[in-house]
Amino acid sequence: MNDNFDRAPGAGRSRNHPADPGLLAASGDGDAKTTLFNQREPLRQPRTSPPFSENNISDMIGSGGDCKRQNKPQQSANANNASVSRGSNDVDSLVKTSKLSATAPEFVPSGNNLYEDSSSYDDYESDYSEPSLASTVTEFLAHLSSSPGSFESDVEYITSIFNSWVTTEELLQELVELIYTESTAIPNFAYTGARLCNYLSHHLIVSPPSGNFRQLLLKRCRQQFEQRDAAVRGDPEIQKKFHSFVLFLGELYLHLEIKSKNGPPNRANVLLDALKDLMKSLLSNPVDANLICAVKLLKLTGSVLDDTWKESGKPHMEEIIQKIEKILLDATCSRDVRQMLLKLVELRSSDWGRVRASAASNATPENDPNYFMNEPTFYTEDGTPFTAADPEYAEKYQEILDRQDYFHDTPDPGDNGNEEYDFDDEMDPEIEEAFESFCLESERKRQQ
């Protein structure tokens, strides 16, 4: 029983028993223990490997071995001795072949490539490069379009930038083209663009032999003007661009000033004839888009054109109105456009809605039915309304004034009757406006 009992640790618990029991009989007990221990299943490797020292790493790299072979207990002593000797040799060789210097101006790790990100530096420089004339003009015009009220305060600064930038004929032509393009492309910018063109025509310093800013601008407008007959019959996109040009030219005629030697500045008469021809071209092809553009142009410049042509004895406005009346008789346009044309004819018959000063001064309750139109409405104590048109207006109005004077002269009890209470100085205009807004808001909430 003692012979069969094995006292070795783990004896009898081995999962892999020897296939031939004769192997145990052929050797001694010690050999049998050793054979059984060696034939056991190898221990499970740890989940995390212990850290390697620099000598072990250099030894593995130098010898080409793997981690498993270095971890064997049978070779640990030889591996340590070999690593010490090989490590010292590797250090000596690295020192001899190294290009590092203690006096170098800076240290750059070997893993970094100095030239691999050169494109990123180029992109950085391109993002922060100097702006071009086109981008500067576009930015300025976008600012004026979004904030037209700042024109007076910003136009001088904008002009100073252009004077420092535009110094050659080529740059001046580019500036003219940019301003013309943006003025006819940005919606509702024709008015501000025309004012800017007028200011630049008087304050830009550069004046090449080919012409100053105003002359180059008029040449650019003439190029588009010569294409009017084809544009009014083009596709909707071409017509839209042409209509923007027509309205910009109308604003330019109203705002572009030409200095005269004696007297005030004059308008550009060349634009006067151009507007007449543009009007005839629009009415020659009476589609809705062309007719709407003609109505807008006449509402914009009709009074000025009519006065100028009357002074020179030219019946151009009469011819235009007659042409519109013929279009109304043909009734080829839509109903809405037809109403616009009718309103335009009525507007011209009323002298473009203007009220002459002489007629206003001679107005009386007998000859002007609207004489009391803007007079206030008062109410009596019983709630009866009365206005300046009532025969008893003067008497009742005087009673109201007397009552106001009575309250105005009433002394303030808090002051013991020594000072008058002035209703007019009770609130300053800002406080009064805020109080009225508060009352209106309270009334609106109460109605909801």
Side-chain angles (χ1 to χ4, degrees):
M1 180 175 181
N2 293 334
D3 293 336
N4 295 329
F5 183 74
D6 191 351
R7 295 180 180 275
R13 293 193 296 272
S14 176
R15 297 178 182 178
N16 298 328
H17 296 283
D20 189 359
L23 295 175
L24 296 177
S27 59
D29 293 340
D31 296 337
K33 296 173 184 178
T34 303
T35 303
L36 286 172
F37 183 78
N38 292 338
Q39 290 180 355
R40 288 178 56 205
E41 182 180 4
L43 297 176
R44 177 179 58 83
Q45 293 292 333
R47 295 184 181 273
T48 58
S49 59
F52 294 100
S53 63
E54 295 181 358
N55 293 334
N56 291 336
I57 296 174
S58 61
D59 181 43
M60 286 188 295
I61 296 175
S63 61
D66 55 3
C67 295
K68 293 181 180 180
R69 192 164 55 203
Q70 293 294 331
N71 289 334
K72 290 184 179 180
Q74 292 83 354
Q75 298 178 358
S76 60
N78 295 332
N80 290 334
N81 295 332
S83 64
V84 171
S85 59
R86 280 194 296 270
S88 59
N89 293 333
D90 293 341
V91 171
D92 294 338
S93 61
L94 287 175
V95 171
K96 293 178 181 179
T97 60
S98 175
K99 297 181 180 180
L100 299 177
S101 174
T103 61
E106 61 180 351
F107 171 73
V108 180
S110 59
N112 293 348
N113 190 353
L114 295 178
Y115 305 98
E116 62 182 359
D117 295 333
S118 60
S119 60
S120 62
Y121 291 101
D122 295 339
D123 296 340
Y124 178 82
E125 293 178 357
S126 63
D127 293 339
Y128 291 91
S129 60
E130 294 184 359
S132 61
L133 178 61
S135 61
T136 304
V137 173
T138 304
E139 181 180 357
F140 280 150
L141 297 186
H143 167 69
L144 293 178
S145 177
S146 60
S147 303
S150 63
F151 178 86
E152 297 292 343
S153 59
D154 296 340
V155 67
E156 185 177 355
Y157 168 73
I158 295 174
T159 305
S160 64
I161 296 297
F162 290 160
N163 278 326
S164 63
W165 199 313
V166 181
T167 56
T168 62
E169 179 180 354
E170 291 76 11
L171 290 176
L172 181 60
Q173 291 179 350
E174 182 181 358
L175 177 63
V176 170
E177 182 65 28
L178 289 171
I179 293 179
Y180 169 82
T181 302
E182 295 296 326
S183 298
T184 56
I186 300 177
N188 302 322
F189 189 69
Y191 170 76
T192 307
R195 295 179 64 194
L196 178 62
C197 291
N198 177 61
Y199 192 90
L200 293 178
S201 66
H202 296 292
H203 295 86
L204 272 184
I205 300 174
V206 59
S207 181
S210 60
N212 54 23
F213 177 85
R214 176 176 55 82
Q215 293 170 343
L216 294 179
L217 177 63
L218 294 178
K219 289 180 181 179
R220 180 62 184 87
C221 293
R222 184 173 182 82
Q223 295 177 4
Q224 184 65 36
F225 169 78
E226 293 176 349
Q227 303 175 5
R228 62 187 184 279
D229 293 334
V232 295
R233 292 173 172 79
D235 56 41
E237 188 64 26
I238 295 177
Q239 289 184 2
K240 182 179 179 180
K241 293 181 179 179
F242 177 72
H243 297 158
S244 299
F245 160 73
V246 170
L247 297 178
F248 172 68
L249 201 67
E251 294 284 3
L252 201 62
Y253 172 72
L254 296 178
H255 295 92
L256 188 61
E257 298 176 345
I258 300 177
K259 293 182 179 180
S260 60
K261 295 181 180 180
N262 297 323
N266 301 320
R267 290 190 174 94
N269 292 327
V270 64
L271 296 180
L272 181 65
D273 297 333
L275 291 175
K276 178 197 65 175
D277 296 336
L278 289 174
M279 190 69 62
K280 291 182 177 180
S281 298
L282 290 171
L283 298 178
S284 64
N285 185 30
V287 297
D288 288 354
N290 289 336
L291 293 177
I292 292 174
C293 180
V295 170
K296 290 181 178 179
L297 180 60
L298 285 176
K299 285 185 176 181
L300 177 65
T301 62
S303 60
V304 179
L305 295 178
D306 201 357
D307 294 342
T308 306
W309 285 331
K310 284 181 179 180
E311 291 176 0
S312 59
K314 297 178 181 179
H316 297 322
M317 184 58 68
E318 295 292 341
E319 296 174 357
I320 293 174
I321 297 300
Q322 291 177 4
K323 183 68 174 177
I324 293 177
E325 291 175 350
K326 290 181 180 179
I327 294 174
L328 288 173
L329 293 176
D330 295 338
T332 57
C333 55
S334 63
R335 183 182 62 180
D336 294 339
V337 176
R338 180 183 175 85
Q339 291 295 326
M340 292 175 64
L341 295 176
L342 287 173
K343 293 292 184 182
L344 179 66
V345 174
E346 294 177 1
L347 182 64
R348 197 261 176 173
S349 63
S350 64
D351 196 14
W352 305 100
R354 295 177 292 186
V355 178
R356 299 297 181 181
S358 58
S361 60
N362 297 329
T364 61
E366 289 76 16
N367 59 20
D368 188 359
N370 297 324
Y371 185 82
F372 299 107
M373 182 176 61
N374 295 326
E375 294 292 334
T377 301
F378 297 95
Y379 295 88
T380 60
E381 294 180 355
D382 56 354
T384 303
F386 69 95
T387 62
D390 296 331
E392 300 177 355
Y393 170 79
E395 182 180 353
K396 294 180 180 179
Y397 185 69
Q398 187 61 38
E399 293 178 0
I400 294 176
L401 294 179
D402 293 341
R403 285 198 300 271
Q404 290 180 350
D405 292 338
Y406 172 78
F407 286 110
H408 179 76
D409 295 337
T410 302
D412 189 357
D415 294 335
N416 297 322
N418 295 328
E419 294 182 1
E420 294 181 352
Y421 191 85
D422 192 356
F423 285 94
D424 295 336
D425 296 334
E426 182 178 358
M427 293 185 296
D428 58 12
E430 294 183 359
I431 298 177
E432 185 177 0
E433 182 180 357
F435 179 73
E436 291 178 357
S437 300
F438 170 75
C439 293
L440 293 175
E441 183 67 19
S442 300
E443 182 65 22
R444 185 183 64 83
K445 291 182 179 179
R446 191 180 303 110
Q447 292 177 358
Q448 290 179 353

